[in-house]
Amino acid sequence: MFNLRNSCIAVFGALGLTALPSMAVAAEANLQPNDFVGISFWLISMALVAATVFFFIERDRVQAKWKTSLTVSGLVTLVAAVHYFYMRDVWISTGETPTVYRYIDWLITVPLLMVEFFLILAAITKVPTGVFWRLLIGTTLMLVFGYLGEAGYINVTAGFIIGTFFWLVVLYEIFLGEASRISSADASPAVQSAFKLMRNIVTFGWAIYPIGYYLGYMGSGVDSGTLNIVYNLADVLNKIAFGLIIWHVAVTESDA
Ligand SMILES: *C/C=C(C)/C=C/C=C(C)/C=C/C1=C(C)CCCC1(C)C
């Protein structure tokens, strides 16, 4: 049943959120009409706010066992929306790449995205907690080593190689490991197809970030404006579309 109280909390929470950065960052500069990177930050910020409200309101529509998955989707877009406000201000007022905000955002949202694989399986069958921990720890280490390399604490190439190793660890888990076996053996057709779509996103959608790292720090260099636009668009796929796949399977299974 539609729950007015929850919906109001989601909508007013989201509105309050949009006021945050203007209070914290004295943004002297305004968005210029030819600043396409800044415009992409704005667009994606708003899309993330809308997605957050949507996921939280849609929780009311699904069975209890699917609610956690939608909560997590909403938290991912909520955390990303707040970071996008700050990243947008950094870009608009300094023209610099907001790397540290990106990594803080990733450090929270990426493990949460990965845990969604566990959650959609756990909604329909028994899943050992080892799956949860491997997905969570694998993604966290991937990001920590990427950051250490990018920030200069360890060798750039070492950060890339070790980070990529942990990405492969989570890919193994969802393509060949226990999570993948549970999906093919025990999941309903709707959950199986969501699982497959989601792991393709983790393969192809996620590849954009290590490619950006490689080009920016190890290859011939890359224009920071282009890189930010590409990352911003990638986040639409990897955070919003990913959440919509989960929403779709939750609604399908609840109505079945
Ligand atoms: C919403 C944001 C997402 C899904 C970000 C994902 C980021 C990655 C998959 C980053 C991967 C990296 C490596 C595989 C190697 C080391 C450098 C990183 C951290 C860029």
Side-chain angles (χ1 to χ4, degrees):
M1 253 251 318
F2 183 73
N3 181 325
L4 187 65
R5 196 181 120 260
N6 283 354
S7 307
C8 288
I9 292 173
V11 173
F12 287 109
L15 289 177
L17 205 82
T18 56
L20 265 180
S22 34
M23 297 188 298
V25 182
E28 319 94 43
N30 276 317
L31 181 60
Q32 298 302 309
N34 59 351
D35 177 2
F36 293 108
V37 182
I39 291 171
S40 77
F41 274 116
W42 261 98
L43 277 172
I44 315 290
S45 317
M46 293 308 142
L48 287 164
V49 171
T52 305
V53 174
F54 178 77
F55 292 134
F56 285 154
I57 291 180
E58 290 289 305
R59 265 181 104 256
D60 289 340
R61 234 183 107 180
V62 299
Q63 282 174 348
K65 59 183 183 178
W66 285 103
K67 288 191 194 294
T68 311
S69 305
L70 288 191
T71 304
V72 172
S73 294
L75 289 177
V76 165
T77 51
L78 172 72
V79 169
V82 175
H83 284 90
Y84 263 77
F85 292 131
Y86 287 94
M87 294 200 284
R88 183 191 73 195
D89 281 355
V90 169
W91 176 266
I92 291 174
S93 49
T94 69
E96 275 166 29
T97 295
T99 306
V100 68
Y101 289 113
R102 278 235 193 254
Y103 269 91
I104 297 172
D105 168 64
W106 290 356
L107 206 53
I108 300 168
T109 58
V110 175
L112 286 176
L113 287 168
M114 213 60 218
V115 161
E116 292 275 28
F117 284 93
F118 172 83
L119 290 175
I120 65 164
L121 295 178
I124 48 157
T125 182
K126 244 187 122 45
V127 188
T129 47
V131 172
F132 173 88
W133 289 112
R134 283 195 293 277
L135 296 172
L136 189 81
I137 294 171
T139 38
T140 306
L141 291 175
M142 169 187 86
L143 297 169
V144 166
F145 281 98
Y147 184 72
L148 293 177
E150 197 152 340
Y153 291 108
I154 59 173
N155 175 278
V156 167
T157 310
F160 181 80
I161 292 173
I162 304 172
T164 303
F165 168 78
F166 285 108
W167 181 34
L168 294 176
V169 168
V170 298
L171 286 175
Y172 180 87
E173 180 69 33
I174 54 179
F175 276 94
L176 301 163
E178 200 167 11
S180 141
R181 281 197 300 274
I182 294 169
S183 170
S184 8
D186 304 320
S188 63
V191 171
Q192 278 193 35
S193 86
F195 191 93
K196 285 184 189 147
L197 264 174
M198 286 158 61
R199 71 184 179 190
N200 284 336
I201 289 186
V202 171
T203 312
F204 300 106
W206 286 26
I208 291 164
Y209 310 94
I211 292 171
Y213 179 108
Y214 178 84
L215 293 176
Y217 295 96
M218 298 154 74
S220 49
V222 58
D223 169 61
S224 72
T226 311
L227 190 61
N228 275 296
I229 290 191
V230 171
Y231 278 2
N232 291 356
L233 293 176
D235 282 354
V236 176
L237 172 71
N238 297 327
K239 295 190 167 75
I240 300 177
F242 193 89
L244 286 173
I245 294 170
I246 291 156
W247 165 79
H248 183 255
V249 70
V251 169
T252 309
E253 290 284 315
S254 299
D255 292 350

